[in-house]
Amino acid sequence: MQKVACPLFALVVVACRPDLPIPEAGLRPATQAAGITVAFEPEAPVTAAPRVLRVHVAAEPSLDEARLFLVRGELRDSHLRQIERDDISKALAERFVPSVRWRADDGSVVLAPTVPLDPDETYAVASGEPRASVAFVVEPAEAAPLLVRAWPPAEASGAGLFGLYCGDVTLPEVSFEATLAPDGPLGAFGRGVAPAGAGGACLRFVGRGLAAEGGPWVPPPVVWLPGLPWPLRVDPRPFGGAGNEDLGEAIEGPLDEARLECEAFEVPFGPGCVEVEDDRLLGRAPAAAMLWGIAGEGLDVVMTTGKNERFVLKGLPAGKDVSLDVATIDVHGRQRRLTFSATTLTPMPHVVLNEVMANPLGPEPDQEWVELYNDGSVEAALGELVISDIGGETVLPEIMLPPGRFAVIVNETFVVDDEIDVPPAEDALLVRVPALGKSGLGNGGEIVRLLDERGRTISRFPAIPKPKAGQSVVRRSPDAPDGVRDSFQLAEPTPGSANTASFL
């Protein structure tokens, strides 16, 4: 590990050259106030500070590190007096931005926020000794892309030193080294989840020589990559320190011990299991948090799963032999790679419960409805399906639902435009039934199921907190799996169209 001091404020990198992916740390002060000097890394004015940054603060003759904070919003002198006297109110403490701080070799103090700052918002550097503050405004969101940390989970900051940061832009192949700060482990940056080749929009960091205890350590705030016209902000959540809570069963020894026992209709898929269908795999993850990189057959998938979580991999060719490269990494940084081979089924319908309105603004049960969506590539016979809730079962009529189309199941008394509730989309298939449930859908957020002709559950809505009048329960996307908390949410209703409304 080599430490190289750059001018003014120090950043430990392999060398200080302009062509490095991580800029050199020679900084000019952004502003001065009441005896303190503030500089941003990367360098920026106080009118457009980076969303991810390190704030370097110096003072003459000295600066009290324990009384230095980054605060959301502007500050009054009364706030500074609280910091000076170590008598901080709850209201002020709630505005503190979580940060790692350390003393640099030149006596200055570095404040490194461990969360990205909000675009276009005002923040302030607050010093109690000397008593001073410097306000600054954060750059707009579009100023530079943010690579969000996909792994490890936020609650696993004390886990193995492997980080994956993903965005919306395909990255070039890169390889460079950097050291986490302050005085953290040296590591290598590269693209994607090696060696599977998945994650073309992700930047990985693999640390070397991680101590059993230490940190927290933060990654470089910004990197420049060849071929990209702008820098990439790197999610500042730290490594090391406390963490590792509730991530599933602790797994000692080889990763094989984490493998699931697959059901008769499933096949092994890494440490998990999948059911092979036509254009997709329906999967179950093991009893520990896991990062997956999956490549092949046109797929480039990076995903994370929690304890025993279900997942869907969609986009495979139907009715063909397929082969996938699968890499997994657990929260301890242990990696496993294998090749998965299977033969997919011929094209089939995939009808899902996509949205449920159990508590309309209009009269109940008349204005209640259930939205179905055919996420498959062939038409589906609704007459083979049943909607079931706590009040009973609703057998659907003999109607075909084309692929990529929505069906809104309503009571016979449903009024298309009652001038109160959102009406179904004009191109939606409106399907009337004698009654939804025994006496309408319950408003308490109970479970709703879609059953096939054998009585098997093929789609399921969970019991979630009771929606307010006029709110619906939606699936975030048609292929969002059952049994996953983030697959469902309360939202503004969109009967007969994609769930693109703002989630509540």
Side-chain angles (χ1 to χ4, degrees):
M1 184 183 299
Q2 181 181 9
K3 296 182 180 180
V4 181
C6 299
L8 186 57
F9 296 111
L11 170 65
V12 180
V13 292
V14 178
C16 292
R17 299 201 319 268
D19 58 341
L20 279 176
I22 302 170
E24 61 181 270
L27 302 174
R28 291 175 295 180
T31 190
Q32 294 177 310
I36 68 170
T37 300
V38 173
F40 298 136
E41 178 194 335
E43 193 171 289
V46 293
T47 54
R51 293 188 63 194
V52 181
L53 79 171
R54 296 175 186 171
V55 184
H56 298 253
V57 187
E60 292 293 343
S62 63
L63 182 70
D64 186 350
E65 178 181 347
R67 292 182 173 89
L68 188 65
F69 300 94
L70 189 61
V71 185
R72 182 183 297 274
E74 296 185 0
L75 295 174
R76 299 190 299 270
D77 191 59
S78 60
H79 295 131
L80 297 178
R81 286 198 298 269
Q82 292 181 38
I83 296 173
E84 180 185 34
R85 299 169 182 172
D86 290 328
D87 185 20
I88 298 171
S89 67
K90 181 179 178 181
L92 178 58
E94 290 175 346
R95 293 169 57 189
F96 288 173
V97 179
S99 303
V100 175
R101 67 162 73 92
W102 65 91
R103 179 82 59 171
D105 292 340
D106 62 1
S108 63
V109 176
V110 183
L111 278 176
T114 56
V115 293
L117 303 184
D118 293 332
D120 299 313
E121 292 294 326
T122 297
Y123 292 81
V125 177
S127 169
E129 186 179 336
R131 195 171 75 203
S133 68
V134 172
F136 61 90
V137 178
V138 179
E139 66 191 358
E142 63 270 16
L146 174 65
L147 293 179
V148 178
R149 194 175 87 176
W151 193 260
E155 62 271 29
S157 57
L161 195 66
F162 176 94
L164 192 71
Y165 303 85
C166 299
D168 299 324
V169 179
T170 300
L171 305 181
E173 288 288 352
V174 293
S175 179
F176 60 94
E177 292 187 332
T179 300
L180 301 182
D183 298 324
L186 176 71
F189 279 94
R191 188 182 77 167
V193 183
C202 300
L203 189 69
R204 73 175 181 273
F205 175 80
V206 182
R208 300 174 181 172
L210 175 63
E213 297 181 356
W217 301 299
V218 291
V222 62
V223 295
W224 284 89
L225 300 183
L228 298 183
W230 16 246
L232 298 171
R233 311 296 188 208
V234 180
D235 192 320
R237 282 184 288 170
F239 293 92
N244 229 7
E245 295 109 8
D246 195 28
L247 293 172
E249 299 172 6
I251 299 167
E252 304 295 338
L255 278 178
D256 283 343
E257 296 182 16
R259 293 181 63 94
L260 286 178
E261 290 292 332
C262 297
E263 302 290 344
F265 55 87
E266 296 176 322
V267 292
F269 187 79
C273 300
V274 294
E275 180 180 358
V276 180
E277 294 197 339
D278 53 346
D279 64 343
R280 67 197 68 188
L281 305 176
L282 309 182
R284 292 191 298 128
M290 197 75 64
L291 171 72
W292 304 71
I294 303 160
E297 307 295 343
L299 297 184
D300 178 358
V301 176
V302 172
M303 67 179 186
T304 61
T305 55
K307 179 179 179 180
N308 298 322
E309 194 168 78
R310 295 187 177 274
F311 60 89
V312 177
L313 285 175
K314 186 180 174 183
L316 297 173
K320 292 186 177 180
D321 295 333
V322 297
S323 179
L324 299 175
D325 196 3
V326 181
T328 56
I329 301 172
D330 70 7
V331 293
H332 304 289
R334 297 177 299 182
Q335 303 184 30
R336 176 187 174 91
R337 183 189 181 189
L338 56 81
T339 298
F340 171 81
S341 298
T343 301
T344 56
L345 304 179
T346 56
M348 56 192 293
H350 293 275
V351 182
V352 297
L353 290 164
N354 201 53
E355 188 172 0
V356 174
M357 170 58 76
N359 192 12
L361 294 171
E364 298 182 45
D366 305 53
Q367 296 304 111
E368 297 172 351
W369 47 264
V370 172
E371 179 191 84
L372 305 179
Y373 179 73
N374 185 357
D375 191 36
S377 57
V378 297
E379 62 180 2
L382 295 187
E384 299 174 355
L385 305 178
V386 173
I387 296 174
S388 171
D389 77 334
I390 195 171
E393 295 185 348
T394 300
V395 179
L396 300 183
E398 296 290 341
I399 294 177
M400 303 304 294
L401 179 61
R405 291 286 302 277
F406 294 90
V408 182
I409 315 301
V410 300
N411 291 283
E412 289 181 342
T413 54
F414 179 82
V415 177
V416 172
D417 188 0
D418 64 351
E419 300 183 355
I420 301 176
D421 294 291
V422 178
E426 292 184 0
D427 60 346
L429 183 63
L430 196 66
V431 180
R432 295 184 181 271
V433 295
L436 274 173
K438 185 176 181 181
S439 56
L441 302 173
N443 293 345
E446 70 269 13
I447 296 172
V448 179
R449 294 183 175 89
L450 185 65
L451 311 178
D452 64 13
E453 56 188 347
R454 294 174 293 173
R456 186 183 67 166
T457 299
I458 61 173
S459 187
R460 179 180 182 274
F461 258 47
I464 66 172
K466 177 181 177 180
K468 297 179 181 178
Q471 290 180 351
S472 64
V473 183
V474 305
R475 190 182 296 266
R476 287 185 176 269
S477 65
D479 57 359
D482 295 342
V484 178
R485 179 181 56 188
D486 292 340
S487 291
F488 305 90
Q489 186 58 280
L490 299 177
E492 297 292 342
T494 55
S497 59
N499 297 334
T500 57
S502 299
F503 295 123
L504 302 174

